[in-house]
Amino acid sequence: MNILFVMYDQLRFDYLSCAGHPHLQTPNFDRVAAMGVRFTNAYVQSPICGASRMSFYTGRYCASHGAQWNGFPLRVGEMTLGDHLRPLGMGCHLIGKTHMKADAAGMARLGLSPDSVICARQAECGFDPWVRDDGLWGQGPDGFYDDRRSPYNEYLKSRGYASDNPWADFANAGVDADGDIASGWMFDNADKPANIAEPDSETPWLTRRAIDFVDQADAPWLAHLSYIKPHWPYIVPAPYHAMYGPRHVPPANRHPVERRDPHPVYGAYMAGRVARAFQRDDVRAKVIPAYMGLVKQCDDQLGVLLDHLETTGRMADTMIVLTSDHGDYLGDHWLGEKDLFHEPSVKIPLIVYDPRPQADATRGTTCDALVEAIDLAPTFVEAAGGTVPDHILEGRSLLPWLHGETPDWRDFVVSEYDYSATPHCETLGLAPRDARLFMVFDGRFKLIHAEGGFRPMLFDLETDPREFHDLAKSGGHAAEIARLYEMLARWGRRLAQRVTRSDAEIVAGRGRSARKGILPFLVDGTEVPADLTARYRGKAPVRPDEPD
Amino acid sequence: MNILFVMYDQLRFDYLSCAGHPHLQTPNFDRVAAMGVRFTNAYVQSPICGASRMSFYTGRYCASHGAQWNGFPLRVGEMTLGDHLRPLGMGCHLIGKTHMKADAAGMARLGLSPDSVICARQAECGFDPWVRDDGLWGQGPDGFYDDRRSPYNEYLKSRGYASDNPWADFANAGVDADGDIASGWMFDNADKPANIAEPDSETPWLTRRAIDFVDQADAPWLAHLSYIKPHWPYIVPAPYHAMYGPRHVPPANRHPVERRDPHPVYGAYMAGRVARAFQRDDVRAKVIPAYMGLVKQCDDQLGVLLDHLETTGRMADTMIVLTSDHGDYLGDHWLGEKDLFHEPSVKIPLIVYDPRPQADATRGTTCDALVEAIDLAPTFVEAAGGTVPDHILEGRSLLPWLHGETPDWRDFVVSEYDYSATPHCETLGLAPRDARLFMVFDGRFKLIHAEGGFRPMLFDLETDPREFHDLAKSGGHAAEIARLYEMLARWGRRLAQRVTRSDAEIVAGRGRSARKGILPFLVDGTEVPADLTARYRGKAPVRPDEPD
């Protein structure tokens, strides 16, 4: 079996028709959902791209892998999907984005040769890059945000898009009435079509690269097809720019009570530039239709890919996973972007299709178990025929759910957010190590703990599914808060770094030192079998003459 | 300045005359204490050799470095003293024991060449080995416990000790009345002299190797002089075997109340073979005098070394640290060995001499701050002129204390114990991941948390300095227990793995992406300085003809 692990960037869990969106039709997502299981309570380990992805790729919490913000390198030696899958005979390939930053200092310290395959994989999150393109070719006074080569920009140039950065000038910009660039960075331009032929835009381009991959790949393979969209810049080519308009924009899920005496960290975010932009209805009216167009384009391209899998027979032997690295507030809770722990940010779409007959019983169903992003890595290991190394991978395989079983399962999920790199850390007067949030959610109550001496936040999603009422504001609910803090404490004591010895190895190793002559705490030797002490019995050897 | 970092193995904090031992005179330890500061509340990160040492060498808690038991490899890439000191121009050398197990699988995964210097350092805990000898050359039906070469055994053979394992047959064995080997593994033989000329025994041999090192070393250097003694086998050559006798053995610090309804983990340890041996007064009467003889020999050899440093001028430019990796119950609390968290096990001797004038004010004093073993690594970095990388090292430099300052300091220490590899894990019916204990000690109250669903243990060292009364037995003291659990929870959320970015780098990096053209959440671009948006303005480039 192969695994097609598709990630969209910043795709909200509820912007799919199978998840109930009132206006957006996503028949191809729905098609996979009809063939597989849609997980309705799937959460990321961090609502920020890089940290979240490192958790997907390592199968470990952010506090375990340490790459807690975009651009914080993943420490050398931290095992990723490829390290787990290749020994099982499964290749591990990248088509698109990882947001991985290599630990150049660590690799240099270990003397890893930069041109070796091992080093290339260390630098690419363990993947063999079929296409590596992180999708953000921003360029400013200090140069490119991403200083690697851009296969997508190379493609555009080869197609005649005349610019040193066609990503910026064509794919992510329109043209205004004066013939000037209307950059997709500015929300004012979100309703314009991107100045690019639709087939040349990012999502179709990457889909074709994926089809190229599938057509030549040696099975079994895992391909991580990782789209930059519907991530900002919010601009989409025709005809998608015109498919949705202000009438398709749901009202913002926000309430005045949220702005009254908010938690200081939430308050700082609501006061930030991102939030202020998304608090404007005119911004939402322009941006959300563009976002929906980007999702619609993703869905159409998913259809192209699914058709190709059908035609080539790959649908019968390929597991398909559709997910995202986090959501997008889009103005809900007076916020934009992701970052905090309300559902639009921390909850993700997760649809898994397993082609094998064992999964027939669950096709087209949903599963409301508390799922974490780190569950995919063990799912893949098990799908590849391996035993999950649970001393390294902190998630749990989803295969039992896919196969109609009801496994013992976690009673809470944890997500983390490290905002030390943001201006909010400074605004709040925090040391970088204190700019950290932890979410604990038990399926009903959601506690957010903030380092730095702040009170927690608490939401009851049963009585307040829209998450307006921070119950910790009033100082009440001590018992619930204590209960969730106890869960967080339990999580804090988890076994996360004993990665060089499995439980099975530990059990098998017990008693071995005695068989290698380590015999402390024997009074006279009769306490153990005679063969263990045989080495230490018999005539004493003769001592040499005294040294000078 | 150089650093002579001397570690004794299994040396109790109170078996020194400067620490108040009633019978054992250790004038050379006392001499260093008179020149430096003796820390009276120093605790190891784990009361087991390997895990404790990995914390000394990495400056990190056991749950952070992951090598939580003897022989669990230290994961490749985990930084050790040498990684921190060499870039500061200080060599980092090993003379003796580390109890390090290399992460061979991790090194192979990264393609590290086994014969490279980097690989050798990875395999030796970051040290350049002047002498590498872990000191336990046990041999049994399955071969040697330690399959590396033994410089000490090679030395003994070169001296004419005729045996394939003279460590076992001479250095750690006596001769009985029949001329048979009287192995030091059996406590019955602890009162016999080891069948070796005293200068050929382990402690003087290693001391001479240290002197050889000092005489040729290029300054500045750190030398980790790491003795196996007074660790078992408890047997010592003449004249030390006869210096102490039963009359010098203090009564065991134990109380019948400890055996009444003990905590299940403590109960399992009290019922084990080790404990049962040390519960016998005849065992204590033989073993403790041998242990004292071993300590006395260590002290004499320390004198030899100190005299050499004086003679060669090194005393004036060498920091000296004397410590141990954990203690030894010796029958206290009905236990032998180390492992649990009573003071004789988890507290260590720690004496630090700083030759510089800044330390003159504190010479000969004691310091009762709550010190952890992980404090030495940052102390060494600072002594070598570096800035402590506090995103990696979890301890705190002791230099302020040595220089007469009173720094802000921690309010509790944490120690951990992973007993998954022991038979007690099985006895207690635990999964390997649940065989873990955590100690939190705030200077008065000591809480021990046991994973696996057990109640905690609690001791009040102010009202019960001998640690007989487990206050959690009765179910009371809820407030103290909750307070210490809150400390443990705080510790569990510590920032331990964000090792690839320092706080300073994080602060310096803020706002950089905007200068590299990442401009999300601008409505029209006026929100930021014009130079940031310049790239995205001007005439739109001409789009090529539509593709086919």
Side-chain angles (χ1 to χ4, degrees), chain A residues 16-273:
Chain A
L16 300 174
S17 43
C18 56
H21 196 281
H23 301 295
L24 186 60
Q25 291 305 312
T26 52
N28 294 294
F29 280 93
D30 299 3
R31 177 173 161 195
V32 181
M35 298 190 301
V37 175
R38 186 166 64 85
F39 291 90
T40 59
N41 278 306
Y43 291 87
V44 283
Q45 262 46 72
S46 182
I48 180 77
C49 298
S52 172
R53 286 162 180 270
M54 296 311 109
S55 285
F56 274 104
Y57 306 148
T58 62
R60 291 158 59 72
Y61 292 102
C62 297
S64 300
H65 63 63
Q68 288 168 273
W69 182 260
N70 297 334
F72 289 9
L74 185 68
R75 62 185 287 178
V76 67
E78 184 72 22
M79 289 177 76
T80 52
L81 283 176
D83 294 310
H84 296 290
L85 295 178
R86 285 194 195 93
L88 300 171
M90 181 175 276
C92 197
H93 306 271
L94 172 65
I95 308 166
K97 165 171 178 168
T98 63
H99 222 124
M100 159 79 168
K101 172 126 180 147
D103 178 12
M107 291 195 285
R109 210 164 51 236
L110 292 175
L112 294 189
S113 165
D115 55 359
S116 65
V117 170
I118 286 170
C119 212
R121 287 174 175 164
Q122 281 288 314
E124 296 293 6
C125 240
F127 295 107
D128 285 325
W130 177 255
V131 177
R132 188 329 177 180
D133 193 300
D134 261 8
L136 282 183
W137 303 101
Q139 197 179 355
D142 292 351
F144 273 96
Y145 171 66
D146 187 338
D147 56 10
R148 289 164 292 205
R149 57 174 280 259
S150 165
Y152 180 60
N153 258 343
E154 289 170 11
Y155 166 77
L156 291 183
K157 288 176 192 176
S158 79
R159 298 283 293 165
Y161 290 89
S163 160
D164 67 328
N165 188 352
W167 176 89
D169 294 338
F170 292 100
N172 287 281
V175 182
D176 72 10
D178 300 327
D180 284 342
I181 289 180
S183 171
W185 287 121
M186 305 354 158
F187 292 162
D188 268 355
N189 300 321
D191 57 347
K192 298 184 174 63
N195 185 21
I196 192 167
E198 193 273 337
D200 288 333
S201 63
E202 291 155 282
T203 300
W205 169 74
L206 199 68
T207 302
R208 291 193 301 274
R209 297 292 78 74
I211 287 172
D212 293 345
F213 171 83
V214 168
D215 286 349
Q216 60 76 54
D218 293 325
W221 46 260
L222 176 143
H224 180 42
L225 173 56
S226 184
Y227 292 100
I228 181 65
K229 294 300 173 188
H231 191 282
W232 42 256
Y234 300 110
I235 190 164
V236 64
Y240 296 100
H241 78 293
M243 286 186 183
Y244 307 97
R247 73 181 184 285
H248 302 113
V249 174
N253 182 45
R254 65 190 186 199
H255 191 290
V257 73
E258 296 180 282
R259 312 187 84 170
R260 272 181 235 136
D261 187 25
H263 188 282
V265 178
Y266 181 33
Y269 272 82
M270 282 196 290
R273 193 179 73 212

Side-chain angles (χ1 to χ4, degrees), chain B residues 243-280:
Chain B
M243 285 186 184
Y244 307 97
R247 74 181 183 285
H248 302 113
V249 175
N253 182 45
R254 65 191 186 199
H255 192 290
V257 74
E258 295 180 283
R259 311 186 86 171
R260 272 182 235 135
D261 187 25
H263 189 282
V265 179
Y266 180 32
Y269 271 83
M270 282 195 290
R273 195 179 72 212
V274 179
R276 290 200 314 272
F278 269 98
Q279 286 160 15
R280 291 171 56 165

Side-chain angles (χ1 to χ4, degrees), chain B residues 271-289:
Chain B
R273 195 179 72 212
V274 179
R276 290 200 314 272
F278 269 98
Q279 286 160 15
R280 291 171 56 165
D281 287 338
D282 61 328
V283 165
R284 297 184 74 248
K286 278 195 177 184
V287 167
I288 293 177

Side-chain angles (χ1 to χ4, degrees), chain B residues 191-236:
Chain B
D191 57 347
K192 296 185 175 65
N195 185 20
I196 194 167
E198 191 274 337
D200 288 333
S201 64
E202 290 154 284
T203 301
W205 168 75
L206 200 67
T207 302
R208 292 193 300 275
R209 298 292 77 76
I211 287 171
D212 294 345
F213 171 83
V214 168
D215 286 349
Q216 60 76 55
D218 292 326
W221 46 260
L222 177 144
H224 180 42
L225 172 57
S226 182
Y227 291 100
I228 181 65
K229 294 299 172 185
H231 191 283
W232 41 258
Y234 300 110
I235 191 164
V236 64

Side-chain angles (χ1 to χ4, degrees), chain A residues 310-340:
Chain A
E310 289 280 12
T311 307
T312 56
R314 289 291 71 74
M315 196 66 98
D317 61 10
T318 302
M319 169 178 277
I320 301 174
V321 175
L322 308 177
T323 191
S324 179
D325 58 348
H326 51 73
D328 192 324
Y329 274 107
L330 295 174
D332 290 347
H333 306 289
W334 311 95
L335 295 171
E337 269 277 72
K338 45 265 181 179
D339 302 317
L340 299 184

Side-chain angles (χ1 to χ4, degrees), chain A residues 239-542:
Chain A
Y240 296 100
H241 78 293
M243 286 186 183
Y244 307 97
R247 73 181 184 285
H248 302 113
V249 174
N253 182 45
R254 65 190 186 199
H255 191 290
V257 73
E258 296 180 282
R259 312 187 84 170
R260 272 181 235 136
D261 187 25
H263 188 282
V265 178
Y266 181 33
Y269 272 82
M270 282 196 290
R273 193 179 73 212
V274 179
R276 289 199 315 271
F278 269 98
Q279 286 161 16
R280 292 170 56 166
D281 287 337
D282 60 327
V283 164
R284 297 184 74 249
K286 278 196 176 183
V287 167
I288 292 177
Y291 180 82
M292 292 170 71
L294 289 165
V295 176
K296 183 68 179 173
Q297 189 184 24
C298 288
D299 186 75
D300 284 343
Q301 290 298 315
L302 176 60
V304 170
L305 186 59
L306 294 174
D307 290 347
H308 188 79
L309 295 175
E310 289 280 12
T311 307
T312 56
R314 289 291 71 74
M315 196 66 98
D317 61 10
T318 302
M319 169 178 277
I320 301 174
V321 175
L322 308 177
T323 191
S324 179
D325 58 348
H326 51 73
D328 192 324
Y329 274 107
L330 295 174
D332 290 347
H333 306 289
W334 311 95
L335 295 171
E337 269 277 72
K338 45 265 181 179
D339 302 317
L340 299 184
F341 299 106
H342 299 91
E343 300 281 274
S345 173
V346 72
K347 185 186 268 201
I348 48 170
L350 178 63
I351 302 169
V352 184
Y353 158 66
D354 182 339
R356 297 172 297 184
Q358 300 98 295
D360 286 349
T362 62
R363 301 197 191 284
T365 65
T366 59
C367 173
D368 62 1
L370 287 170
V371 164
E372 298 184 310
I374 55 175
D375 294 338
L376 286 182
T379 302
F380 297 159
V381 167
E382 208 167 87
T387 302
V388 176
D390 63 4
H391 59 304
I392 303 171
L393 300 181
E394 298 186 280
R396 304 180 191 197
S397 168
L398 299 174
L399 289 191
W401 295 116
L402 295 172
H403 297 171
E405 299 157 24
T406 306
D408 271 345
W409 203 249
R410 64 171 64 87
D411 46 2
F412 61 95
V413 293
V414 172
S415 190
E416 303 169 68
Y417 183 60
D418 177 332
Y419 58 107
S420 58
T422 73
H424 306 302
C425 174
E426 214 172 332
T427 310
L428 291 163
L430 295 173
R433 65 177 51 240
D434 287 335
R436 293 183 296 134
L437 305 177
F438 298 83
M439 176 198 85
V440 183
F441 177 53
D442 70 356
R444 174 174 175 181
F445 288 98
K446 188 186 279 186
L447 176 86
I448 292 130
H449 166 73
E451 294 293 312
F454 301 110
R455 66 165 176 86
M457 293 168 249
L458 181 73
F459 296 95
D460 178 351
L461 272 73
E462 191 173 294
T463 61
D464 176 29
R466 297 176 71 186
E467 295 185 280
F468 292 150
H469 303 285
D470 176 355
L471 300 174
K473 214 182 266 189
S474 55
H477 295 82
E480 287 309 332
I481 289 171
R483 188 176 61 81
L484 291 155
Y485 262 113
E486 162 51 29
M487 289 173 169
L488 181 59
R490 204 200 313 166
W491 177 84
R493 298 189 307 262
R494 77 198 179 281
L495 187 64
Q497 304 298 335
R498 196 173 76 187
V499 294
T500 60
R501 272 286 182 275
S502 69
D503 282 12
E505 288 168 330
I506 289 168
V507 170
R510 287 183 194 149
R512 278 204 192 151
S513 66
R515 292 195 54 81
K516 292 186 168 181
I518 301 295
L519 299 172
F521 313 107
L522 305 184
V523 177
D524 60 11
T526 58
E527 298 89 339
V528 294
D531 68 319
L532 297 184
T533 60
R535 175 66 187 74
Y536 300 110
R537 300 199 182 278
K539 273 290 150 217
V542 179

